Each structure stands twice: as structure tokens, then as C-alpha cells.
Amino acid sequence: MSGQNNQDKVSHDPIDIENLLLLNPRIRQGAHVVPSIETKDNKRHWKRNHEKSCADCGPKKNNFDDIKHTTLSERGALREAARCLKCADAPCQKSCPTQLDVKSFITSIANKNYYGAAKAILSDNPLGLTCGMVCPTSDLCVGGCNLYGTEEGPINIGGLQQYAVEVFKQMRVPQVLDPLLLRSDLPKIFQTKIGLIGCGPATISCASFLARLGYNHLTIFEKKDYIGGLSTSEIPQFRLPYDVVSFEIDLMRDLGVKIECGKALGVKQRMTLNSLHEDGYETVFVGIGMPDPKRIEIFDGLTEKQGFYTSKDFLPQVAAASKPGMCPCKQSRQALPVLFGKVIVLGVGDTAFDCATSALRCGAKKVFIVFRKGFSNIRAVPEEMELAKEEKCEFLPFLSPKRVLVRNDGRISAMEFYRAEQTDDGEWTNDEDQLVRLKADFVISAFGSGLQDQDVIDALAPVKMNGLGVPVVDQRTMQTSVPWVFCGGDIAGVAQTTVESVNDGKTAAWSIHRYIQGTLGGVQLASEPTLPKFFTPIDAVDLSVEVCGIRFENPFGLASAPPTTSSAMMRRAFEQGWAFALTKTFSLDKDLVLNVSPRIIRGTTSGHSYGPGQGSFLNIELISEKTAAYWCQSVTELKKDFPTKIIIASIMCVYNRDDWTELAKMAEACGADALELNLSCPHGMGERGMGLACGQSASTVRDICLWVREAVKIPFFAKLTPNVTDIVDIARAAFEGKADGVTATNTVSGMMGLSPDGTAWPRVGREKRTTYGGVSGNAIRPVALRDVSAIANALPGFPILATGGIDSADVGLQFLNAGASLLQVGSAVQNQDFTLIEDYATGLKALLYLQTLDVPRWSGQSPPVFSHQKGKPVPKLKELDGKHLPHFGPYKKQLEEIVGKNKLSEAEPEVDSVDRKRVINQPQTPIPTIQEMIGKSLPKIGAYGKLDNSQQVVAIIDEDMCINCGKCYMACNDSGYQAITFDPETHLPTVTQDCTGCAMCLAVCPIIDCITVIPKSIPHRVKRGIPEYEFPNKNAASILAQ
């Protein structure tokens, strides 16, 4: 009865809401008891990882979808990049064969500058996307990651690399020559004919770098009718899709490299090194790989019809049937090899694992990976081995092939093996007393490859060959015994991975350049290699902006803060590319200061976060301890050495006309381009009658600005404090005082936290005293954005130097749109270093360029989010089967079966011509200037009363992307409108008609765009608490008026 009575009380949830809240968290009132037998069943229901007892991994036939563990979504990429420490002298970079600037490209990813990341990657590795997908990173860059020394482990560098270049690929922007390198002005020697044989990774790399250097007569000769070499023919689609290889080759072709297919190296083929030389090719690069499989005697005479394949036979057939775009025409497309029953794969390298996992997709029911040595001797990288284990391949070590058994019909029926053992002196021997027989329907040999075709060997004459039957190569220059012949990739004997082949091509490109310029052109080059970077039309975007008659190369500069503690630091910043810098605030000698220590601490606004990437800092540092004479001399020196850089002298005085006049004239006389009047330092200086003490009164600000205006002719900006009632009033006072602009804002006065013992940090001296300091960084960005936009709306056209949490180009553009003219950076450099400017510049250029392209639904550099789980596309289940299923437990198995059936029934993928021309995204409108971006958002920022409450939205959840965490459900229950249900079995949330469109669910959802908002299609009913006051929204105005 009492429960029924509660339903009449407005302070109790209605019965339907009580039912909805059944799964909402509650504090336990006691220990919870569940029998283990029930927990075992529950565990199976909620399990997301693989069952140990599972006999197989689900249907795989014909399913060539991505299976890489390293693949990332945007969410995963941003979180992983944020973990990176961006170390000094980063070991990860030293472990990369192509010397990628790992720190730089991960910095760009963390800042949502995917173009900048891709540019850094492709500058050093033209096959950066391929290598992001197939590199054995655990043995290379990841193996050197300093985060191995922490509990959370190393960074997923390969996944980050893949994500960044994939986003750039979606932009469809071409590669162009370095703008400083005009081919029309290059000497004739750059028209030297260069031939390259084989269109694999080493050759693509070599040709790309030679083309970037300016060589314009580059021809690749490829034996096959497809291009890409081993990347195309032997790495499966689920690890390396063909469109990735095609994309990288298209970038190479953008620079004019020609490819001729059907041209094989061989005497019989009438193409030899000598014949190419006679045809005018002054230098030749050989990158044909190791084309011939190694076979042992027991396989002599065995054919594919009997069930025997080498990896060189099997993988190209799989590729031709599963890689859309690889074959030049539909008619030549092959079907997948038809496998069944049990398959034995011999070998334990990466190729063997590719054969094993591909065999499952060709119909094999069970795959045995058989190898001669133990697990500790496996040559393949752990990533490959883990994939094979997950797909339930069986590993059989210590077995050495003895013979193959065949049935009467000639088909393979089994294999016999000797037990292999290692002697005390390390030798491996076969124990012929121990025999193992394995039944098998197919055998795939993956024992490696070599160069055995005598016709090809003869065509390589006069190159000297070594005892292994491959060319003798100088491993530092990739030059052969014949000065004009260079080699790279497998055939050169050093590379064992794709990335090493790429680096062979890169090394050879520089050596070929030196050979042509020196031997043929008589020009001696420096011994230190210098190769051009990767360029696109994005890099030509003009970032310059004029403010107060001063031209700035780009809108990014250093704030008056710890990064400008000394003029030597400013010098280093200019060398990296910053357009302007403010001196650390200085004063007259009578006002010199002495700092306390400690004085700069990490923020607590991002939770318990340690290391770089702090969301805020707090400091109690005063102005510069250096004299005005030091700073004036520094300004003079820097202006002489960097005439195009802009130096703004930051000055501070007490409220005294003579002091401001003297210091302003001193700064102008030394050559400063402009002044910043620090009227806002929130700690320490205010107690001396300076800083904040001068900036909280409109009349004081007006007076000081008038004094300085009378004293100097150069522009000056009043630096404002946010620690006032209304910053617009202070900005207006500066305007009335004839200031040329303002800086908004200085740090926010605050205290970062107290320890359990009651002391604060920073605490000074034995007394452990503290004071209120200045909070800076991303934590004050909302305040700074508000202040900048408010001033810009109130004083149209009045220049604003924005500062406060500008940690990326993406954020910089937000400030420009809010009305800022220039962007000052401080805390971001404290988190990193001066090289950030490269990321800021490339990021802003990309953001401006993308605004001119036809890229629907992109948000800045973020492409539209597709339905995915862990970055891998998932089919729209409702479209396939009409069901709503989560991705765990028994539902996951149902999903796999539905997808498996769909893969078996779906039509063969469409195949288009390998020689197709990709569609390049051309600008549809002129590229906007920085000036055009300033204040772009202002017309849409204003009073609450201008918002239209008749246009309501509701939340919608993509069940295929949902990870079933229930955060939306909990937030809506305890902080919202109880408008989301949560299924107790599937944990799928559903938005009800009670949704008011507040978007809190979207705010707490951990998956980007899993929850979005759409216009509300039903009448909006407002719950007023008392039924007679509820009404459709269209009548809201009339009722409220009553």
C-alpha cells in the first residue's frame, strides 16, 4: 500500500522509471554471494576475449576482413598518442630502419593533425601505410619504447602510423615536388635515364626519393601484370589490402615515375643490365626480391593437384582472388585455392603464418604449423604468431620432414617427420628413432626463397655474385661491383622485412644521386645524406597574417612565459619556425625580482596524470629576473639575426607615468616590433602595485595605455587579466586608451590542491607556505575562448592576441574563429618542446585546405566515423539479419556465424583496372586566408535569448558501435532525465521518447559518434512535474507568458 502511495508523490520515481532503474548502480549494503557454478555461466555470457576451450575461431572461409591487433579507431589513436612521452633522443626512432620521426608524428596525432603525422611518416618512408600495417614493430621501434619501463607498456606505434596515413589517404590529396625545387630550373643532369627493375617496396622507395630529388626520367620494369611486388602477391588482404599498395604507388606516380608491366629481367626476355645500359639508362636499380621458392627433395614431383603448394605458389593465388584491384581485368581473376580438411604448413617465419591463416580462409578445417626448432627459435614476429594462435592453428615444434605419403589416387594423405633435437654444442640433428606421422590433405612449404633462375642470373652480368648466388652489394651504399648498378630488398642480402627493403631503396636513392651528380655530372655532394621531404598542395597554403601593419609568417608565437626565460631560448624557437615571441616580462631595475622555489607545478585538473600532456600548470613565478638592459640588447641581436621574425617586448611597471614612459621608450629604441603591457600577472606582482594591481581597474588601464601611446610609435597590446567581473570593460578601456590591441588572457588565479596533511604544493621553505598562483594551459581554455569572443563581439576589428590552452592547430583555429588575430603558446611548450611549431603549421594549413575540398561530414581533419569495433568495420547487423546483438559472449558467436554466412554468399568483389587513375580531390573554392578565419564564428555567439527552443533534438545510439558500458544509461539516470533503458541480457541501451536532447549521454560515451543527436520528429513535451503544467513545446511561450 505504501508503495502505491509513493506513486502519488512527486519526489518518488514513477513505476516505469523504477523499472528502468533496476540496473542503475547502488551502494552494496553487504558482501555479495554468488555460487561459483553460476559465475562460470555468467562469465561465458559476458566474455569478450577468446574461450580457451574453443575448438575453432568461427567461420573464416572467404573472410578477408582486417584481423590486425594494432588497428585503431580515432578514439584509440588519440588515447594511445596521448600516452606517448615524446622522449628526448627517442630510442624508438633509432630502432626504425627508415628513421621515422616517431615523436613528431605521434605528437601530431595527439593534436588531431593527421596530415602533419602522415607528412612526417611519408617524408622518411614512402610506404608508410604498408609499414604501419605489416612492420614487426615489437622488434623495432616498439622494442625501444621507454614506456616498456612502466606498468602500462609500450606505445602501439604501428597502429598510430597506420591510422594517420589512412586518414591522409581518405583526403585524396596528391604528392607534389618540393616547391623550392622547380624542375625547369634543374641542370640537365636531372634528366638522366634511370631504370628500376621490379615494382616492390625497395623499388617504390628508391623511385620516390629519386623523383623527389628532381629526376624526371624514371622507369620501373615489372615482370608481372600487377604491381607492388611481395606486398601485393604474398601478404594477405586481411593484413595488407591492395588499395594501400595502390595508394603508395599512386603517390610515386604523382611525381612522374613510369611503370611498364610485363617486362621481366632475363636473357630470354631480352632485358639485361647491359641491354638497359645500351638503351641509355645510365644507372639501374635492381629490386626483384627472391623470386624462386626453396624446395627440398621430398617434394620433387608433387603438384598442386596432389595437394602441395609452396608459399610462392599459394599466397599469390590467394591474393589474386581476394585483393580487389590487383588483377588488371575481371577475366583474369582467379578463384581462391580450394582447400579442405587438414593442412600442414612447414616453416615458422612470417610467410608461414600468412599461409596458415590464409589456408583457413580457403576452406581448411584445421591447420598445423610444423617447424624444426622450438618456440624460442621462432623467426616470425610475436604479432603474427598471436594471430595464428587466436585462429586456433596448432603449433608442432621439433619436427623435421622425412617424407610425404600419397594415396593411390596420387593425393597427399600424410607426412612423416623425424623428431629434431639440439645437441649440447647447439647443433640441430634428426633422431631417426623417433617418428611422427600427421594426416594431411594439403601441404604448404614456406621454407624461404632464393634466386635460382639461371636466365635471370645471366641477365645480371657483369655484376659479381656471392656464394649464395646473389649480387655482392656494399651494404652501406647498396652499390654492386658494377658502379652504375644498385640493389635493394631481399636480393641485396640485408633486408628481411618490408621496412628494411624500403630503407634499402632510400639508401640506394641517395647513392644513385651521388653517383650521377659526381661521376656523371662532376658535382661532389656532401657525404651526409639529405633527401627532400614529402610535399602536397597543402604545404603551399599561406599562413601569413598582418596585424597592426606588421606581417607575421604564421599566427603562432611564444607567450611571455617560461619558454622565453632567456633570449637564447627565443633564438632556438625562431630557428624551429615560430613567427613571433614575447620576451619574458621585464621591468626597470628598481623593480627587479627574486623568485622562490619550487614555483611551477603540474595541474590536477586532468586527474592523476603524470608526465607530459598536462591539462594545466600552476605557477607562482614572477616576471623575469633579468635586467631591462639584458632584454634590450637581446632584442637588438635577435632582430639583426632574424629580421622576418617579430619580437614583442613584454614590460611591467607600477602605476607611474614616468616609469611606463621610460621603459616603453627603452623597448622601442632597441628595435622591438611591438610592446605588450603586462597588466595582469595574478600573483606576487600585484602586491608590489604591478601586474594585476594595474589591470583590474578600467580607469587605470586607460591611463597606462594613454601614457604608452604618447611615449612610443610602435604598436602595443594590453595584456588583460581574467580575474575581473567583466573583461570587456577592461578591453574597452584599453581601446579608449589608444592601445593597438589586447592580449586575452593571462593566467587565472587559483590553488591547485592541498595534501592530506594540510600543506599545499608548491610549498616554500621550512614553513611550507604557499600562495595563490596562476593557472594556465587547457584548463583555462573555456575562459580564454569566452573572453576572446566577448571582446571581439564588443569591439569589432580590435586585434586580440589570444593565449590560454592553445595546444594544437585545431584549437588555434577555434581561437581565430572566435576573433583572435594571433596565437600565443606557453603551456603546450612546457609539455613538449619548441618543435611543436611544425605540427601547428602543418595542422593549420591542412585545416584551411580541407575547407576547400569536397569532403562531406568531415570535422576538421577527422573523417566521418564508420560503424566499427576496435577500429575494424562491422557490418550493419540489422541490415544483414534484422537482429540487435552485442559483441560479447554467445552473441559474438552468433555475429560471427551471420557474417560468415554472408561472406560465403556474397558476390565476388568487383575488380577494376590496376592502371586506373585515382580521383584526386581538387579545391572547389579559394583557400581561405588567416584573415578570413578571424571572427568567423562570432555571428553565432551571443545571448541565450537568441537560441531557438523550438528546434529540439534527441539522442540516437549506434548499436553496432556500442561497447555496452552503460555510461549513457547511468548518466541519464543520475544526472539527467531517465530516458535510456538498458537491456539486462544484451546490455544494449535504447533511447526512449522521454529524451530531451540534453546530450549528456553523448558527453560521457567513450566511443566517438556511437551516440549522436538528430532533430526530434515527435512533439516535444516538457515534464513540469505537475501533470496539468505539461504541454507540447509549441505552446511553451504562451504558458510561460501567463
Side-chain angles (χ1 to χ4, degrees), residues 64 85 172 174 251 435 469 484 651 660 810 888 957 1000 1016:
F64 287 86
L85 301 179
R172 293 186 285 119
L251 289 178
L435 290 178
W484 51 270
I651 60 176
W660 281 105
D810 183 69
F888 61 78
I957 300 172
M1000 184 177 292
K1016 195 169 189 175

Side-chain angles (χ1 to χ4, degrees), residues 233-234 293 309-316 351-352 355 444-448:
S233 64
E234 296 190 32
Y309 292 87
T310 68
S311 61
K312 291 284 185 182
D313 304 321
F314 178 66
L315 289 175
T351 301
C355 289
I444 303 174
S445 168
F447 284 148

Side-chain angles (χ1 to χ4, degrees), residues 380-394:
V381 295
E383 296 93 323
E384 284 273 325
M385 185 174 174
E386 283 302 312
L387 290 175
K389 283 171 63 178
E390 282 186 10
E391 299 201 342
K392 306 304 176 183
C393 297
E394 298 290 347

